[in-house]
Amino acid sequence: KAGVTQTPRYLIKTRGQQVTLSCSPISGHRSVSWYQQTPGQGLQFLFEYFSETQRNKGNFPGRFSGRQFSNSRSEMNVSTLELGDSALYLCASSARTVDTGELFFGEGSRLTVL
Amino acid sequence: SQQGEEDPQALSIQEGENATMNCSYKTSINNLQWYRQNSGRGLVHLILIRSNEREKHSGRLRVTLDTSKKSSSLLITASRAADTASYFCATDDSNYQLIWGAGTKLIIKP
């Protein structure tokens, strides 16, 4: 069974640009969550999608958005990039239906904003 | 906001010794999970313990949960160099959202 795949793995952008990150969950998983990880703030929850609907949202500005497609693949977008957006963005999928179960993480997309 | 707080922030031990990490949280939970992260990589799930469980084992791992003290501990026995990683606890609150701690960085010296 293929794991969670995130693309791209590394990317460099400049301030003001926008970026789109992609996540393909494990086959059959309908829940996809996104996290931002920085050395100073640790692992911060961005949002969770389940069957194409955003089910939970973290405390991030509206520049951060996401969506989930009918095949459960998910994308997140960050517009008007700021230096502070430099981070490892992690996607995780879960077979969860009601409560939170085991999360399966991808290797992450490392974003550097110059 | 961060609910889980790991303790210690960093731990360095000799190979073969046992490593213990602690996690404290603030609100009632449905379950608590532990994850491992090797440097710059994705997280790997280690173990999930539900609020009605007190202890759980998986190979060299032992997790305890004390809901009265709102704390959990992760014990790794007979540590190996490959155990060098950061360890995170995550709590599933009543909103079914995982809240993460800042992690414990574990270094196993050969």
Side-chain angles (χ1 to χ4, degrees):
Chain A
K1 206 174 195 182
V4 177
T5 304
Q6 291 188 245
T7 56
R9 289 291 314 280
Y10 303 92
L11 64 168
I12 300 174
K13 294 284 187 178
T14 56
R15 280 181 298 173
Q17 288 187 311
Q18 71 150 17
V19 66
T20 299
L21 309 178
S22 179
C23 173
S24 294
I26 290 174
S27 178
H29 287 190
R30 293 156 63 189
S31 169
V32 174
S33 302
W34 288 90
Y35 292 88
Q36 181 195 65
Q37 187 177 33
T38 59
Q41 295 296 317
L43 207 66
Q44 301 289 321
F45 172 74
L46 281 157
F47 26 66
E48 184 216 356
Y49 287 88
F50 184 85
S51 293
E52 301 179 67
T53 300
Q54 188 181 87
R55 191 152 69 165
N56 271 313
K57 189 177 189 305
N59 189 24
F60 277 82
R63 299 186 298 107
F64 292 81
S65 62
R67 58 178 175 169
Q68 186 180 33
F69 302 96
S70 58
N71 62 358
S72 292
R73 190 177 70 85
S74 177
E75 288 181 348
M76 68 161 282
N77 184 276
V78 187
S79 63
T80 319
L81 284 166
E82 301 176 358
L83 295 179
D85 297 332
S86 293
L88 180 66
Y89 290 87
L90 293 163
C91 164
S93 75
S94 168
R96 126 182 201 185
T97 52
V98 178
D99 67 351
T100 303
E102 176 183 354
L103 294 184
F104 295 82
F105 282 83
E107 292 293 335
S109 292
R110 184 166 295 280
L111 170 65
T112 301
V113 182
L114 302 176
Chain B
S1 63
Q2 255 172 219
Q3 162 151 257
E5 294 288 339
E6 285 95 343
D7 168 55
Q9 289 186 324
L11 179 61
S12 180
I13 61 173
Q14 292 293 138
E15 194 168 18
E17 293 181 337
N18 295 341
T20 300
M21 288 157 270
N22 302 296
C23 171
S24 60
Y25 57 92
K26 297 172 186 170
T27 63
S28 62
I29 61 171
N30 296 307
N31 66 59
L32 184 146
Q33 304 180 43
W34 285 91
Y35 288 79
R36 182 188 75 231
Q37 184 181 34
N38 292 91
S39 183
R41 308 289 295 276
L43 282 75
V44 174
H45 182 266
L46 296 176
I47 202 162
L48 180 154
I49 186 165
R50 299 199 179 279
S51 59
N52 61 353
E53 297 175 308
R54 291 297 167 258
E55 188 170 310
K56 210 161 182 180
H57 296 254
S58 178
R60 294 183 296 111
L61 306 180
R62 182 174 80 105
V63 168
T64 61
L65 179 64
D66 187 335
T67 53
S68 66
K69 294 181 180 178
K70 292 187 168 59
S71 68
S72 172
S73 68
L74 169 67
L75 168 67
I76 304 174
T77 60
S79 63
R80 305 168 181 168
D83 295 328
T84 293
S86 290
Y87 292 80
F88 295 87
C89 70
T91 51
D92 177 352
D93 65 8
S94 57
N95 292 320
Y96 303 113
Q97 178 177 323
L98 280 183
I99 310 296
W100 297 79
T104 291
K105 190 167 186 176
L106 175 64
I107 296 173
I108 308 298
K109 296 179 286 186

